[in-house]
Amino acid sequence: QVQLVESGGGLVQAGGSLRLSCVVSRDTLRRYAVGWFRQAPGKEREFVGAISRSGGNTYDADSVKGRTTISRDNAENTVYLQMNSLKPEDTAVYYCAATPFTDYDPERPGTYDYWGQGTQVTVSS
């Protein structure tokens, strides 16, 4: 079964940047579309962005549009989420998730079959 491991989270000041990584193992990344979600305490899991299997299509939530870039390196089995101009409201646990299907709703958590354990992002004001 495919496994996903996120890394790159941490504590950053408002206005700063972070790059999160999602490494896929036990299978080949190119078979999967990958989404990023986040969940803050007491809130529902929220869509952040997604990237298609080829990388030709990316999707961004309105809440982060213009501040994030999703990319993938299939040779390295890694998907990246670059986040800039971070705000305190971006504080959350960030998860990556994968689906092997091409007909999917990138914004819906139930679309994805596999999830990582999450990485904490904390933005101080």
Side-chain angles (χ1 to χ4, degrees), residues 83-105:
M83 301 189 296
N84 302 319
S85 302
L86 284 162
K87 305 174 182 179
E89 51 264 43
D90 293 319
T91 295
V93 177
Y94 283 70
Y95 301 88
C96 63
T99 176
F101 299 105
T102 55
D103 182 15
Y104 69 106
D105 179 353

Side-chain angles (χ1 to χ4, degrees), residues 5-13 17-22 36-37 79-83 86 90-96 117-123:
V5 178
E6 304 94 336
S7 63
L11 174 63
V12 64
Q13 289 188 335
S17 298
L18 282 175
R19 188 177 78 160
L20 306 185
S21 299
C22 173
W36 284 95
F37 292 79
V79 174
Y80 302 99
L81 174 64
Q82 176 69 43
M83 301 189 296
L86 284 162
D90 293 319
T91 295
V93 177
Y94 283 70
Y95 301 88
C96 63
Q117 83 291 346
T119 185
Q120 176 71 47
V121 171
T122 303
V123 184

Side-chain angles (χ1 to χ4, degrees), residues 25-120:
S25 61
R26 298 189 179 183
D27 204 342
T28 302
L29 174 62
R30 65 175 179 268
R31 294 185 56 207
Y32 299 92
V34 174
W36 284 95
F37 292 79
R38 66 186 182 187
Q39 189 165 19
K43 295 188 176 181
E44 292 187 353
R45 193 162 294 190
E46 175 190 19
F47 171 72
V48 176
I51 187 166
S52 62
R53 295 196 300 183
S54 68
N57 293 304
T58 58
Y59 310 87
D60 302 302
D62 288 342
S63 58
V64 300
K65 197 175 293 290
R67 301 190 293 122
T68 60
T69 302
I70 297 177
S71 60
R72 62 191 292 154
D73 184 339
N74 285 345
E76 295 294 327
N77 269 12
T78 303
V79 174
Y80 302 99
L81 174 64
Q82 176 69 43
M83 301 189 296
N84 302 319
S85 302
L86 284 162
K87 305 174 182 179
E89 51 264 43
D90 293 319
T91 295
V93 177
Y94 283 70
Y95 301 88
C96 63
T99 176
F101 299 105
T102 55
D103 182 15
Y104 69 106
D105 179 353
E107 299 187 19
R108 189 172 64 89
T111 287
Y112 299 89
D113 301 281
Y114 308 103
W115 290 80
Q117 83 291 346
T119 185
Q120 176 71 47

